Amino acid sequence: MPAPDELNEDMDEIAPEAAATRVDIIAGPEDEGLRLDRVLARHLPELSRTRLQALIADGKVLRDGRPVTGGSAKVSPGEGFTVEVPAPEPAEPVPQDIPLVIVHEDDDLIVIDKPAGLVVHPAPGNPDGTLVNALLFHCGTSLSGIGGVRRPGIVHRLDKDTSGLMVVAKNDRAHKVLAAQFADHGRSGPLERAYLAFVWGVPELPSGTVDAPLARHPVSRERIAVRTNGRFAITHWQRLESYPDTQGRPVASLVECRLETGRTHQIRVHMAHIGHPLLGDAVYGGGQRTRANRLGPEARDRLEALGRQALHAFRLGFEHPATGDFMLFESALPDDLARLQAALEAPLDGRS
């Protein structure tokens, strides 16, 4: 099974990085002769003495840049201490009755059609209300124990605001087999993943490939950027339809994207990199308002109502982990994207 960091590269969401908190303390005259753990407790009332003693034992309390060896050491006025408080461990997810669109389910896996707006996995800022919470409720005791905890096997992920097909393992064996297929990305195995994306502009060629390495943005840690020192990333695209503006000039198009790798935000960054950012993408699609002004009134309204990037995972194929049969699923555009497409296709100014 791929290592956790490899699996994260397969996922389209960026979880905020939880950071430790560093607190600097200067002992005052009233602290003279007191035990260090008592002094820390007085300056950090939100932490218990037991918690502070554990931090001392873990080397998280420094005096003059060196870890303190014990909490019984006496303190002198003017001494400085640095306490590093690790970020709290996330709580185990709890089952929640959240409706799911189930495309297929058996003893080994479940295929769902994820709506836009649903976060896949609990993370800082999204502790519950996620797909994982919903799966725990739906699957109940059918989930096997992984690491001693019942949880669904998330082998790939879609961004919160990307809709479409996902497969989730229901037991350890299925998780291992599916994870291996997703790690291969269909380069030598059976996996097939395809997305529909509405993009600004019309690519000159009918199809093409974007081969550009991706890594975290050097300034904005919640973004991904094309960087020479990034991990290789390849997206194949094919133009399916094009749409005119109010003057009959090409303004947008529908493309099918297939992933040869599965980096975070890969399609969104790659299409923006070649000059065709996704409609509605507030992160990577600069100049949205200027471009939207070229659309007809209905298309502008539909785009404004969309409130997300126009991206849908419409095709998913894989080898069943137990039977070995190839399974292929397709999902129609959700209502919000279907309405956008209809508005883009609608005749303008009486033209047909």
Side-chain angles (χ1 to χ4, degrees):
M1 184 183 303
D5 59 337
E6 290 177 311
L7 288 182
N8 286 337
E9 288 298 334
D10 237 352
M11 301 173 177
D12 297 333
E13 277 182 303
I14 298 181
E17 296 181 359
T21 301
R22 296 177 65 91
V23 181
D24 293 321
I25 295 172
I26 303 296
E30 65 279 12
D31 298 319
E32 184 172 8
L34 297 179
R35 288 169 52 104
L36 173 60
D37 52 6
R38 290 188 58 189
V39 173
L40 295 179
R42 194 173 67 80
H43 287 270
L44 298 171
E46 69 275 16
L47 299 178
S48 67
R49 288 274 297 275
T50 300
R51 175 66 168 142
L52 289 167
Q53 289 166 351
L55 292 176
I56 293 171
D58 289 341
K60 301 297 185 182
V61 178
L62 309 179
R63 175 166 46 193
D64 297 328
R66 296 182 179 180
V68 176
T69 57
S72 61
K74 298 299 189 290
V75 173
S76 300
E79 282 189 302
F81 299 90
T82 298
V83 181
E84 183 176 307
V85 183
E89 293 292 329
E92 290 295 339
V94 296
Q96 291 179 302
D97 187 4
I98 301 170
L100 292 174
V101 178
I102 299 172
V103 179
H104 170 86
E105 184 176 10
D106 57 41
D107 291 341
D108 297 288
L109 57 86
I110 180 170
V111 178
I112 63 104
D113 200 340
K114 187 187 86 68
L118 180 63
V119 175
V120 170
H121 203 284
N126 293 103
D128 55 19
T130 71
L131 175 61
V132 164
N133 299 106
L135 288 168
L136 287 171
F137 181 90
H138 172 79
C139 297
T141 57
S142 68
L143 296 175
S144 68
I146 303 177
V149 179
R150 286 189 305 108
R151 63 178 176 84
I154 301 296
V155 294
H156 70 122
R157 209 158 60 179
L158 295 177
D159 181 77
K160 171 186 175 183
D161 290 327
T162 298
S163 55
L165 296 168
M166 288 185 60
V167 59
V168 178
K170 293 174 66 176
N171 55 58
D172 298 3
R173 179 190 60 183
H175 187 272
K176 182 177 181 179
V177 175
L178 289 171
Q181 293 184 48
F182 275 86
D184 183 69
H185 299 292
R187 290 187 289 268
S188 61
L191 186 73
E192 182 177 347
R193 299 170 72 186
Y195 295 71
L196 292 174
F198 293 87
V199 303
W200 290 111
V202 179
E204 293 183 4
L205 298 175
S207 61
T209 296
V210 184
D211 183 349
L214 299 177
R216 283 189 182 268
H217 193 280
V219 177
S220 176
R221 299 292 292 168
E222 295 186 359
R223 298 181 61 187
I224 299 297
V226 172
R227 304 187 67 185
T228 56
N229 63 342
R231 301 189 68 178
F232 82 97
I234 298 174
T235 302
H236 305 284
W237 59 266
Q238 178 182 0
R239 189 182 70 225
L240 302 180
E241 298 179 5
S242 61
Y243 310 109
D245 65 9
T246 54
Q247 304 301 315
R249 301 169 299 181
V251 66
S253 53
L254 174 65
V255 298
E256 176 181 325
C257 295
R258 291 182 296 108
L259 300 177
E260 190 172 321
T261 54
R263 309 305 182 202
T264 300
H265 294 180
Q266 179 174 319
I267 292 174
R268 298 165 63 188
V269 178
H270 271 178
M271 295 310 295
H273 179 65
I274 63 172
H276 299 289
L278 272 61
L279 273 66
D281 193 337
V283 177
Y284 302 107
Q288 292 275 336
R289 185 176 298 276
T290 300
R291 294 185 178 99
N293 287 336
R294 295 177 56 192
L295 300 175
E298 184 180 359
R300 282 200 306 272
D301 290 344
R302 294 302 184 192
L303 179 57
E304 184 175 353
L306 186 64
R308 67 173 178 112
Q309 64 268 7
L311 183 62
H312 179 65
F314 84 101
R315 183 185 298 133
L316 176 63
F318 55 88
E319 185 178 281
H320 193 281
T323 67
D325 294 337
F326 182 73
M327 308 186 73
L328 181 64
F329 303 92
E330 291 196 353
S331 166
L333 286 173
D335 289 345
D336 57 353
L337 292 181
R339 288 192 291 266
L340 174 64
Q341 182 182 39
L344 290 169
E345 292 173 338
L348 298 169
D349 299 331
R351 292 191 299 272
S352 61

